[in-house]
Amino acid sequence: MKEIRGDLWDYLGAAVLVITTGGAVSRKGECAMPRGCARQARERFPELPAVLGALIRQGGNHVYDLGHGLASFPVENSPYEVPGLGLIERSCTELVALADARNWPTVVVPRPGCGGGGLEWKEVRPILARHFDDRFRVISEKEFP
């Protein structure tokens, strides 16, 4: 795992981009994508809430290949709860398995649960470091603490 600084969207087309997500699905069948990189992804790809909502309804709140060079990464079950470290750990395991299955050479991941989620990077970093190999880049727009 390598830590980098910059804008996640600068890597679109050059790597698989990970979008931190929740598991809430509306009556219309759309995944709630209210803030952070999920909101940015929704604005760039308006069909994503329906695509991810259908995947969650069918298979649960898990990591999915969303097309467009994007993958989901659940950090919470609802936008009204604090991201869970256990769910982040499970998502790491699932993302590595998906990257292996798809032979993704580079995967760029925002700091999951940090920022809008309210977790501290010092809590999350050890979890990612246990799972991610040198294919994974963890991006931050801020200076590293």
Side-chain angles (χ1 to χ4, degrees):
M1 173 181 96
K2 181 178 179 184
E3 293 181 52
I4 60 175
R5 187 168 176 244
D7 183 344
L8 176 71
W9 298 103
D10 289 344
Y11 294 88
L12 186 62
V16 172
L17 306 186
V18 171
I19 307 304
T20 52
T21 59
V25 178
S26 72
R27 289 187 197 122
K28 288 175 45 179
E30 295 183 345
C31 178
M33 301 174 82
R35 63 183 180 268
C37 62
R39 180 186 52 77
Q40 294 168 0
R42 181 191 76 215
E43 290 169 355
R44 289 172 184 263
F45 304 99
E47 74 282 3
L48 275 185
V51 169
L52 183 53
L55 290 167
I56 292 169
R57 279 190 167 171
Q58 182 178 27
N61 192 19
H62 293 281
V63 172
Y64 295 107
D65 181 345
L66 301 175
H68 304 290
L70 305 175
S72 64
F73 188 99
V75 298
E76 60 197 14
N77 291 304
S78 159
Y80 306 108
E81 68 181 37
V82 174
L85 296 175
L87 183 53
I88 290 170
E89 182 124 31
R90 188 192 79 193
S91 293
C92 285
T93 301
E94 292 179 5
L95 181 60
V96 169
L98 187 59
D100 289 345
R102 300 282 201 274
N103 293 313
W104 291 338
T106 308
V107 181
V108 180
V109 183
R111 291 178 173 190
C114 303
L119 295 178
E120 294 289 328
W121 177 233
K122 65 183 177 186
E123 301 173 274
V124 176
R125 187 186 188 289
I127 297 170
L128 274 58
R130 274 197 300 274
H131 295 277
F132 290 169
D133 56 35
D134 60 357
R135 295 173 292 175
F136 294 86
R137 311 287 188 268
V138 179
I139 194 164
S140 171
E141 293 182 11
K142 301 177 182 174
E143 292 293 333
F144 298 130

